[in-house]
Amino acid sequence: MDNVILARTLFGSSLAFHIIFATLGVGLTFMILIAELVRLFTKDEDYAILAKRWTKGVAILLGVAIPSGTIVGVMMSLTFPGFIEVVGQVIALPFAIEIFAFFVEAVFLSIYIYAANRLSSTMRIISVFFVALGATASAVLITNVQSWMNTPRGFDMIDGQITNVQPWQAVLNPAFSYTAVHVVSSAYLTTAFVVISVGAYRLLRGNLSAREVSYYRKGLMLALIIGAATAIWTGSTGHKAAVGLHHYVPVKLAAAEGLFETQSHAPLAIMGTPDPEANRVVGGIEIPGMLSWLATGSTDGVVIGLNEFPREDWPPLFVHTLFNVMVGIGTLLVALSVGALLWRFIFKKNPYPNWLLLALVPSGAFALIGMETGWIFACIGRQPWTIMNIQRTADAATASGNLGFIFVLFISLYLLLLVLTALVMRFYFQRNPLNNEFQMTTSV
Amino acid sequence: MHEAYVAISIIWLFLFLYAIGGAIDFGAGFWAMYYYERKDTTAANFANLYLSPSWEVTNVFLVLFVVALAGFFPGAAFALGSLMIVPVSLVLILLTIRSAFMVYSYSVQKYTKLLRYISGITGLLIPALMLTVLPIIIGGFIEIVGNRHYILFDKVLTSPTVYAHIGFGLSSQLFLSSLFLSDYAREANSNKTYEEYRGKAIMFGPIMLSFAVAATLTLMPEAMWMVENMARQWELFALSMFAFSIGYSALFWPSKKVRIGQPRVAVILIIVQYALASFAYGWAHMPYIVYPELTIFEGLTNLAMYQSLLWGYIVMMAILIPLFIWFWRLFLKDKRYITSEK
């Protein structure tokens, strides 16, 4: 493999690994905050137990999320030194502010975990609020850099020299608002569905006391409400992101939708394979006028196609599939969660029949796949550029040798940690069954 | 003062904070392993009591240093990135194993011993490996062919100064962490543990100092220019030595609270010693980031970014310092916490 491909694969797999832990860290801290608030208003100790067990989950996840985030941060300098050179000149601010968010998150998380019994309940909720705020803010800030890579602003490039730098203008680039909310909403969504999966699995497996059933149902209900709300929210932020692409990065939208010819009444192609010879998507389902309507708000709207751009600036055409998988999973999750909630409120006697639980069990895995494909689409859809229309990925990559060896080391590490973290989670929650928690709360 | 000097001073400050925090952190991880099976002392508990709430915060200081370096000196990030890919990757892998296994060890009681050994030993290696970067970037170990840099691994692996630096990294973390934990144990009125860590600090202080001297002397054949520059900073190094002598002797001063020694005075003066020595070392390093390839003037970012970052860090630190003080009170002073695991 040549060095550029190797650098991309190494950095890409590091990111793909890190975002699993980072996303769940962002989402779980948010859900812990919600559980604490629900407990404050209902005075139901089960929500305190939920918060406590999710907090343990966060603590284990962070054991991997923090060092893997450190890896990604440092590895960006190692694999794409050319990119970092531009970043340091133009878009260093969000990285710097992100450190601030990390500190807030780390300090308050320790306080929330290790000093909770010494704090007033208000102070405890304030602590967990800052944990969630720090986690979400770091997601927003890192997305800021990725949005800038799509819509670079705040500098002029004259003969390969960067001049007239305006750091805040770079931060406030046009893609920022819509990408940031989409990332945050989908992180909450992914986590809610992972929690739904676990809850549904436990209820389905049975062999639970009435107390445990009641506990798991509360957890599942809370996660379903958050899941449904964030799934709908993510759909709307995703739509805004697509409109943003239409305005600012049309080539990416064209590749995502497999649209070759610039046209009004552009059709929406679902699945299928974009074929540059045929100038259309082959084997997909076409909904006439739908793409124009989605991107511009009217079926008359003109959507720019790939043929407007030189061939060497096209992203790989398989991003169409990634995009479809992401949107498909998002739609499925809206249907699942809204459907489950409707069922719950219409048939109160048996709120969670086995077939419904069975349908909910794989939703967490789907959500993770949707999150991953979304990120991969965001990064591959920007190719061949690292910084859109400014710097090609090939020019940003390291010239260093030894990458192959390092690649093998990191991939083995990631596989090992994925397996071990799952085992540790399982082991911990088996050894500390719910009954222990129930006894602790009744004895207090 | 030139902007590059302000920026590099901030980098020095962040690096210094991480060096002290990281040394205590990794050292404490080692002691948690070392005393794990000792039933006669609570030394391992104290190490964990310190580590559990603090390791994440310490790790953020590392990221702070990396991000500040890449922000203020993008040119340095470029050069170091191409040059240091192998050693830095190894550090990252060790760091990940260390943190993950430490957290695992808190969660899986059945395998605590194995997990703690893995995290203790990988943690111990991290500062040692990090210190090897110091001699590599000041010369003699890099070959430039065309515009590609190569580290001469055969030369690195056979160089006495690299091993002296490794020894300095190992002994520093064991010295700083045992000293710090002795003060922590005294704060919790645990006299036996205090004596235990005080003994370790007394042992590792002179070892650390010998390695520091050895690391400097063995630099001569590799980077004479650096040693000459360091000699010009002799006042600072002498002051640093003075701080060490007084600080070390404080471990033998009479005390009303414990049998012997004033660990708080020792901790403060030893930190002063490291601050002076590292500042003098950094000054001697100037103006090079990577000798003789890259100076701070060539590596510095543009003026607009420099100013935004500077103000960003000032505001950030102003908000964070009260938070750190609160954190300190909750986990390093509050008797309800520090006596909770006795």
Side-chain angles (χ1 to χ4, degrees):
Chain A
M1 269 197 280
D2 79 60
N3 234 37
V4 178
I5 299 281
L6 209 49
R8 281 178 60 191
T9 319
L10 175 57
F11 188 67
S13 20
S14 300
L15 257 186
F17 174 76
H18 171 65
I19 56 173
I20 298 173
F21 295 88
T23 301
L24 295 177
V26 170
L28 263 183
T29 49
F30 169 72
M31 292 187 62
I32 293 165
L33 174 65
I34 302 280
E36 283 276 6
L37 288 172
V38 172
R39 182 221 187 188
L40 185 71
F41 291 111
T42 61
K43 307 269 184 268
D44 184 340
E45 282 304 309
D46 277 2
Y47 291 102
I49 299 175
L50 272 177
K52 195 176 158 196
R53 286 170 85 84
W54 289 345
T55 305
K56 185 65 197 183
V58 169
I60 296 174
L61 287 172
L62 283 188
V64 179
I66 290 175
S68 66
T70 312
I71 288 184
V72 172
V74 177
M75 196 188 274
M76 201 152 45
S77 305
L78 300 181
T79 48
F80 293 99
F83 171 63
I84 283 297
E85 222 182 357
V86 184
V87 164
Q89 298 274 347
V90 187
I91 190 87
L93 273 184
F95 280 116
I97 307 169
E98 192 187 14
I99 302 296
F100 180 66
F102 284 155
F103 271 125
V104 168
E105 183 188 356
V107 166
F108 279 103
L109 185 68
S110 284
I111 290 171
Y112 179 66
I113 295 180
Y114 297 103
N117 50 354
R118 288 177 278 149
L119 298 175
S120 67
S121 61
T122 326
M123 219 36 226
R124 212 182 60 218
I125 289 181
I126 291 175
S127 303
V128 74
F129 167 76
F130 277 108
V131 175
L133 183 74
T136 299
S138 52
V140 167
L141 288 158
I142 201 67
T143 308
N144 181 242
V145 180
Q146 120 87 20
S147 73
W148 175 85
M149 291 159 76
N150 284 285
T151 53
R153 298 289 188 276
F155 66 107
D156 294 321
M157 194 76 145
I158 297 165
D159 302 330
Q161 291 296 312
I162 294 163
T163 55
N164 191 23
V165 173
Q166 287 163 325
W168 284 103
Q169 206 178 317
V171 170
L172 300 171
N173 67 81
F176 177 43
S177 58
Y178 62 78
T179 29
V181 282
H182 190 55
V183 165
V184 170
S185 66
S186 60
Y188 294 167
L189 156 106
T190 306
T191 314
F193 279 94
V194 169
V195 171
I196 289 171
S197 277
V198 175
Y201 173 74
R202 284 293 159 108
L203 283 169
L204 192 64
R205 218 182 40 170
N207 197 18
L208 299 168
S209 67
R211 178 79 206 272
E212 286 171 317
V213 170
S214 144
Y215 167 86
Y216 281 119
R217 281 186 177 173
K218 281 176 204 166
L220 185 58
M221 185 64 199
L222 183 63
L224 272 174
I225 293 173
I226 298 175
T230 53
I232 294 166
W233 184 28
T234 303
S236 109
T237 59
H239 171 67
K240 288 200 183 85
V243 175
L245 285 185
H246 167 69
H247 283 293
Y248 301 109
V249 204
V251 66
K252 203 170 178 177
L253 183 67
E257 303 287 6
L259 186 74
F260 290 92
E261 292 295 339
T262 300
Q263 54 188 282
S264 62
H265 302 90
L268 184 74
I270 298 167
M271 295 318 283
T273 315
D275 183 350
E277 304 304 316
N279 256 338
R280 64 185 189 88
V281 173
V282 178
I285 305 160
E286 283 200 347
I287 306 173
M290 190 67 175
L291 178 56
S292 283
W293 187 72
L294 283 174
T296 66
S298 138
T299 51
D300 296 335
V302 175
V303 182
I304 297 170
L306 282 168
N307 291 342
E308 300 294 320
F309 304 93
R311 195 74 172 249
E312 69 267 20
D313 289 353
W314 288 10
L317 294 179
F318 68 82
V319 297
H320 175 64
T321 309
L322 293 172
F323 186 75
N324 278 182
V325 169
M326 170 185 77
V327 176
I329 286 177
T331 315
L332 176 77
L333 294 179
V334 172
L336 258 181
S337 52
V338 173
L341 284 178
L342 285 176
W343 179 273
R344 166 77 172 73
F345 286 111
I346 296 168
F347 304 93
K348 288 187 178 165
K349 263 199 173 159
N350 183 9
Y352 303 113
N354 280 351
W355 61 265
L356 181 61
L357 291 175
L358 201 62
L360 291 175
V361 168
S363 64
F366 281 132
L368 282 169
I369 294 169
M371 184 269 293
E372 288 279 356
T373 45
W375 272 111
I376 298 170
F377 162 71
C379 293
I380 301 216
R382 197 187 56 245
Q383 300 307 320
W385 305 98
T386 296
I387 305 166
M388 200 75 197
N389 297 325
I390 300 282
Q391 184 184 55
R392 282 182 188 268
T393 310
D395 300 328
T398 179
S400 166
N402 307 324
L403 271 183
F405 162 70
I406 292 167
F407 180 75
V408 174
L409 272 183
F410 276 103
I411 298 296
S412 323
L413 178 72
Y414 299 152
L415 291 176
L416 176 78
L417 291 180
L418 271 181
V419 174
L420 282 181
T421 308
L423 286 176
V424 166
M425 286 264 186
R426 211 180 132 81
F427 194 94
Y428 177 81
F429 288 109
Q430 267 176 1
R431 279 301 162 98
N432 297 274
L434 265 177
N435 277 326
N436 294 3
E437 314 261 9
F438 293 150
Q439 277 155 16
M440 277 171 69
T441 50
T442 44
S443 66
V444 167
Chain B
M1 193 159 47
H2 192 281
E3 289 86 10
Y5 278 105
V6 177
I8 201 73
S9 305
I10 294 172
I11 300 293
W12 166 78
L13 179 68
F14 291 166
L15 181 58
F16 170 69
L17 290 174
Y18 179 66
I20 299 292
I24 295 173
D25 182 88
F26 295 120
F30 176 80
W31 296 124
M33 173 194 94
Y34 181 84
Y35 288 111
Y36 174 62
E37 281 182 298
R38 289 268 297 272
K39 298 278 174 275
D40 58 320
T41 168
T42 54
N45 297 354
F46 271 97
N48 281 321
L49 209 53
Y50 167 72
L51 272 178
S52 315
S54 71
W55 75 270
E56 291 166 16
V57 180
T58 308
N59 192 84
V60 182
F61 276 100
L62 170 63
V63 186
L64 173 68
F65 164 71
V66 172
V67 165
L69 182 68
F72 278 123
F73 296 100
F78 185 89
L80 291 172
S82 338
L83 200 59
M84 292 295 156
I85 190 156
V86 174
V88 173
S89 295
L90 289 177
V91 167
L92 289 174
I93 286 173
L94 290 176
L95 187 72
T96 307
I97 295 177
R98 191 267 183 169
S99 311
F101 278 69
M102 189 170 70
V103 171
Y104 295 163
S105 81
Y106 295 143
S107 309
V108 184
Q109 278 76 19
K110 197 171 156 192
Y111 301 106
T112 302
K113 186 180 165 190
L114 173 70
L115 295 168
R116 197 165 287 174
Y117 269 83
I118 296 174
S119 66
I121 289 168
T122 47
L124 190 69
L125 296 175
I126 294 167
L129 205 55
M130 281 175 167
L131 266 263
T132 62
V133 172
L134 288 185
I136 292 176
I137 60 172
I138 56 177
F141 297 99
I142 297 162
E143 193 176 287
I144 300 153
V145 181
N147 54 10
R148 289 180 68 162
H149 296 64
Y150 294 91
I151 297 185
L152 304 170
F153 281 101
D154 50 338
K155 208 175 161 206
V156 170
L157 293 174
T158 55
S159 155
T161 199
V162 170
Y163 292 100
H165 279 80
I166 289 176
F168 177 63
L170 289 172
S171 52
S172 276
Q173 63 175 319
L174 294 174
F175 175 55
L176 284 169
S177 58
S178 50
L179 186 65
F180 176 83
L181 288 171
S182 75
D183 187 39
Y184 195 36
R186 183 204 47 85
E187 188 80 46
N189 299 322
S190 176
N191 287 332
K192 258 189 84 184
T193 308
Y194 163 70
E195 296 280 353
E196 191 64 45
Y197 279 123
R198 174 180 170 268
K200 291 287 181 284
I202 289 171
M203 182 166 98
F204 280 106
I207 297 179
M208 177 278 294
L209 200 66
S210 322
F211 271 117
V213 174
T216 313
L217 294 180
T218 48
L219 261 185
M220 282 178 180
E222 320 287 358
M224 196 58 206
W225 69 275
M226 182 69 188
V227 183
E228 282 167 3
N229 279 357
M230 283 167 81
R232 262 176 237 127
Q233 305 298 331
W234 69 271
E235 295 103 326
L236 281 174
F237 282 110
L239 267 177
S240 159
M241 195 71 167
F242 183 65
F244 173 81
S245 317
I246 308 286
Y248 189 72
S249 76
L251 288 172
F252 301 94
W253 292 358
S255 158
K256 281 180 194 148
K257 276 186 73 187
V258 287
R259 188 178 60 80
I260 185 168
Q262 297 274 5
R264 179 57 54 88
V265 178
V267 168
I268 292 170
L269 283 173
I270 296 300
I271 289 175
V272 170
Q273 174 220 338
Y274 272 85
L276 288 167
S278 65
F279 189 78
Y281 180 91
W283 200 332
H285 212 289
M286 290 301 100
Y288 298 103
I289 295 176
V290 180
Y291 180 84
E293 283 300 295
L294 184 80
T295 67
I296 53 171
F297 306 107
E298 295 154 358
L300 188 71
T301 188
N302 57 73
L303 199 62
M305 184 55 76
Y306 162 82
Q307 281 166 344
S308 310
L309 284 176
L310 189 64
W311 282 108
Y313 283 121
I314 290 172
V315 171
M316 187 163 103
M317 283 300 151
I319 301 174
L320 284 177
I321 285 168
L323 191 60
F324 287 142
I325 293 173
W326 188 38
F327 188 80
W328 178 276
R329 290 215 175 126
L330 278 173
F331 296 112
L332 293 152
K333 272 211 102 56
D334 192 332
K335 291 278 187 289
R336 285 172 297 174
Y337 180 74
I338 57 181
T339 55
S340 63
E341 254 186 55
K342 272 219 260 180

